[in-house]
Amino acid sequence: AQSVTQLGSHVSVSEGALVLLRCNYSSSVPPYLFWYVQYPNQGLQLLLKYTSAATLVKGINGFEAEFKKSETSFHLTKPSAHMSDAAEYFCAVTPQGGSEKLVFGKGTKLTVNP
Amino acid sequence: DTAVSQTPKYLVTQMGNDKSIKCEQNLGHDTMYWYKQDSKKFLKIMFSYNNKELIINETVPNRFSPKSPDKAHLNLHINSLELGDSAVYFCASCRQAQETQYFGPGTRLLVL
């Protein structure tokens, strides 16, 4: 079975500061990993995904994430936060070659202070 | 030209009523999903259909019945609505398993 743990339900940063949102996964088989963003009152939008190619994945809006198998982590980073980055971020996992079920973490709400 | 659309966007109803939520995707995808997001923002899959065939059916009460009339549509019918059904319901679609899922804007259901 797959599971995702997102450390920190709330993260607050200043505008221009580094953004680091943590995601650890558990999977009995090699996983595919995703980060989605949800802006207020909207659906989810894909930021980036890892599908066993490069371990450092670049996404939209300047975000990137690094797959570290030894640490079972897939943390999301952005060098410089912008006010428009304020949103809820979800990490998700699905097994490679397995069922289509996408398992989400509980989400991290990012606040960006001016 | 919305990729995944849901109707209605908001739904306020009384306990015990029956209601339906509709989802349509114009991406040509084969697989569609229903997710429930609770008040704490936790997202959980409910159902998955591939080419009109039910693939995933999580432990969802029988009061929830999905229906896929064709590949582009996946509707969700809920009987005898309960207070605990209040949530945001998201429809999503993808081309095939493990690929990116595209989400609709959500239907905010409030049961009074």
Side-chain angles (χ1 to χ4, degrees):
Chain A
Q2 289 71 44
S3 67
V4 169
T5 302
Q6 290 184 238
L7 293 174
S9 57
H10 289 85
V11 170
S12 183
V13 300
S14 299
E15 194 173 15
L18 171 73
V19 175
L20 170 60
L21 304 182
R22 298 178 188 274
C23 172
N24 288 90
Y25 70 91
S26 171
S27 179
S28 53
V29 298
Y32 286 158
L33 292 156
F34 303 79
W35 274 101
Y36 280 86
V37 61
Q38 184 179 25
Y39 298 104
N41 297 317
Q42 293 187 28
L44 278 74
Q45 179 184 359
L46 181 72
L47 272 179
L48 49 80
K49 63 181 179 183
Y50 166 77
T51 55
S52 76
T55 56
L56 181 62
V57 181
K58 293 188 185 300
I60 61 170
N61 301 340
F63 284 93
E64 64 181 37
E66 186 172 7
F67 173 70
K68 291 187 177 180
K69 185 179 178 181
S70 60
E71 298 176 10
T72 61
S73 69
F74 190 56
H75 301 331
L76 182 71
T77 60
K78 181 174 180 177
S80 176
H82 193 272
M83 296 295 288
S84 61
D85 294 328
E88 192 91 23
Y89 291 80
F90 293 92
C91 183
V93 64
T94 190
Q96 290 185 30
S99 74
E100 303 165 28
K101 183 175 170 179
L102 194 60
V103 175
F104 283 88
K106 293 190 174 183
T108 297
K109 183 174 182 178
L110 175 67
T111 301
V112 181
N113 302 307
Chain B
D1 58 346
T2 306
V4 182
S5 59
Q6 294 179 228
T7 53
K9 192 169 181 180
Y10 298 96
L11 185 53
V12 181
T13 187
Q14 299 288 329
M15 241 176 14
N17 284 351
D18 303 338
K19 291 292 178 187
S20 290
I21 307 171
K22 296 187 176 182
C23 177
E24 177 181 1
Q25 53 95 2
N26 62 5
L27 298 166
H29 289 166
D30 287 340
T31 305
M32 296 184 72
Y33 306 83
W34 277 110
Y35 288 89
K36 180 181 180 180
Q37 186 175 46
D38 63 23
S39 58
K40 295 184 179 179
K41 302 284 188 180
F42 183 55
L43 262 168
K44 190 161 186 231
I45 190 168
M46 300 173 71
F47 302 102
S48 166
Y49 269 72
N50 182 272
N51 263 320
K52 302 194 299 175
E53 184 181 337
L54 181 65
I55 302 296
I56 295 173
N57 184 348
E58 290 293 290
T59 49
V60 177
N62 291 339
R63 299 182 294 104
F64 290 79
S65 53
K67 282 189 173 50
S68 182
D70 54 58
K71 239 174 47 165
H73 295 85
L74 180 61
N75 304 323
L76 183 65
H77 188 75
I78 315 170
N79 288 326
S80 303
L81 278 155
E82 300 178 356
L83 294 176
D85 297 333
S86 296
V88 183
Y89 292 85
F90 286 101
C91 177
S93 74
C94 68
R95 195 163 61 96
Q96 58 186 14
Q98 284 90 45
E99 292 203 0
T100 302
Q101 292 186 20
Y102 292 82
F103 283 76
T107 295
R108 283 144 188 84
L109 172 64
L110 178 60
V111 182
L112 303 174

